Amino acid sequence: MIQLEGNVRKMRAAFKAPIQYSMVLSDQITPINDHIGAVIKLEWTGTIHCVKCANKTNKSFFQGFCYPCFISAPESSECILKPELCQAHEGISRDMEWSKKYCLSNHYVYLSLTSGVKVGVTRYTQIPTRWIDQGAIKALKIAKTPNRYLAGAIEVKLKEFVSDRTSWQKMLKNDVNQDIDLYSYRETLKENLPPELKEYILDEEKEKVLQYPIDTFPEKIKSINFEKVKEFEGQLTGIKGQYIYIDNEFVVNMRKYSGYFFNITIE
């Protein structure tokens, strides 16, 4: 039996075949792939601590922040969700020292296959973590830029032709055409970029394939809301993205509960 307690953080993932996951609760890091098939019980104690300042908060914003940190921390800046709004290259930021590392560094624009083809942006250090967190089954880097803003500018243009969103239900059911050719998408999409953005296109990158620790995907998905149920128990049947599957029907988005204090038992 494994007993864990602490403030939830997003699961760690190692890029192997299949992806190797670890649960993170405060300072406890516990590999869980070998426990698929075991009974897991999750209980939220009702307590939340901000992932930034660690203060107790009654409500979580932007996956784990208290409200003061949500409106002031660079990690929750608007450019995190909308890279095209980044102003760090103009010297404007909530924290320029932070932005020098996280915004004024190399970024990739990529195509991934999640519930369908999507375009996305991520910092160079987040490959392939970003793809794993999204539950992508394959992905391809298509552009490299020296800052977040330029990557966002490319993404905005490409969003006219391909989505930047994932249907989490379809992703978790693996309801996707796996034969989609990302190379063909890249060739078509790059022709729609203006000349000043085409220079950042990558033509030689190879597609990456990702496999997850789940044997059978459910036909129906029900998401557990711990704000309502407080605790839930069942058989751990798989993991994909930042979700764990329970009884091959229910799912829990572990990242959603960042900062929530949980007791977790696996036996």
Side-chain angles (χ1 to χ4, degrees):
M1 177 186 294
I2 297 176
Q3 293 182 309
L4 309 171
E5 67 173 21
N7 294 107
V8 172
R9 296 292 187 270
K10 60 171 281 192
M11 291 186 289
R12 293 193 180 183
F15 183 38
K16 297 182 180 180
I19 306 299
Q20 297 293 304
Y21 282 94
S22 295
M23 279 191 173
V24 183
L25 275 75
S26 297
D27 59 351
Q28 295 177 283
I29 302 172
T30 307
I32 57 172
N33 283 51
D34 289 345
H35 299 288
I36 292 175
V39 173
I40 184 169
K41 180 179 180 181
L42 302 98
E43 178 188 6
W44 176 43
T45 63
T47 299
I48 309 171
H49 292 96
C50 175
V51 296
K52 176 70 174 178
C53 69
N55 287 339
K56 191 173 180 180
T57 178
N58 292 324
K59 186 176 181 180
S60 173
F61 298 86
F62 202 61
Q63 296 181 332
F65 293 90
C66 65
Y67 187 71
C69 287
F70 169 64
I71 62 175
S72 64
E75 295 93 335
S76 59
S77 299
E78 59 183 357
C79 75
I80 300 302
L81 291 179
K82 296 183 177 181
E84 71 274 15
L85 298 181
C86 186
Q87 296 178 289
H89 60 292
E90 298 176 347
I92 301 171
S93 171
R94 290 182 179 182
D95 183 334
M96 273 308 301
E97 288 304 310
W98 185 91
S99 289
K100 287 177 183 178
K101 180 178 180 180
Y102 293 98
C103 294
L104 302 180
S105 59
N106 289 334
H107 278 66
Y108 286 110
V109 183
Y110 62 84
L111 296 175
S112 62
L113 189 57
T114 54
S115 58
V117 179
K118 76 176 294 294
V119 62
V121 166
T122 195
R123 196 171 71 256
Y124 74 102
T125 57
Q126 292 301 103
I127 298 290
T129 301
R130 179 63 174 155
W131 301 336
I132 295 171
D133 288 348
Q134 291 178 341
I137 58 175
K138 57 184 179 181
L140 176 68
K141 293 182 284 188
I142 63 169
K144 182 180 180 180
T145 65
N147 60 52
R148 188 166 182 81
Y149 168 76
L150 283 169
I154 294 174
E155 182 188 39
V156 165
K157 185 62 179 177
L158 297 185
K159 283 194 297 185
E160 297 176 14
F161 309 96
V162 65
S163 177
D164 67 333
R165 298 183 181 277
T166 293
S167 166
W168 62 269
Q169 297 97 331
K170 285 188 174 183
M171 180 273 288
L172 290 170
K173 291 186 291 185
N174 209 37
D175 183 11
V176 58
N177 179 2
Q178 302 189 29
D179 295 327
I180 288 175
D181 187 344
L182 296 182
Y183 294 111
S184 294
Y185 267 85
R186 177 187 65 192
E187 295 308 304
T188 299
L189 290 172
K190 73 181 184 181
E191 296 306 317
N192 292 288
L193 289 175
E196 66 271 18
L197 294 178
K198 278 187 179 180
E199 66 176 283
Y200 301 109
I201 287 293
L202 300 170
D203 289 314
E204 304 299 325
E205 288 294 327
K206 300 299 181 182
E207 177 184 277
K208 298 294 184 183
V209 176
L210 299 94
Q211 301 174 17
Y212 297 89
I214 178 170
D215 293 328
T216 304
F217 289 94
E219 294 182 1
K220 296 182 179 180
I221 291 288
K222 297 178 183 178
S223 180
I224 303 303
N225 184 350
F226 284 93
E227 298 282 354
K228 295 180 179 180
V229 301
K230 302 302 183 188
E231 63 179 63
F232 196 82
E233 181 176 348
Q235 184 183 40
L236 177 64
T237 50
I239 315 167
K240 190 179 184 186
Q242 279 289 317
Y243 290 82
I244 62 171
Y245 295 78
I246 299 176
D247 292 337
N248 204 37
E249 178 182 3
F250 304 95
V251 294
V252 178
N253 182 350
M254 297 303 295
R255 188 174 192 174
K256 174 183 177 180
Y257 294 103
S258 295
Y260 285 60
F261 197 98
F262 267 73
N263 294 316
I264 299 178
T265 303
I266 305 174
E267 57 180 344

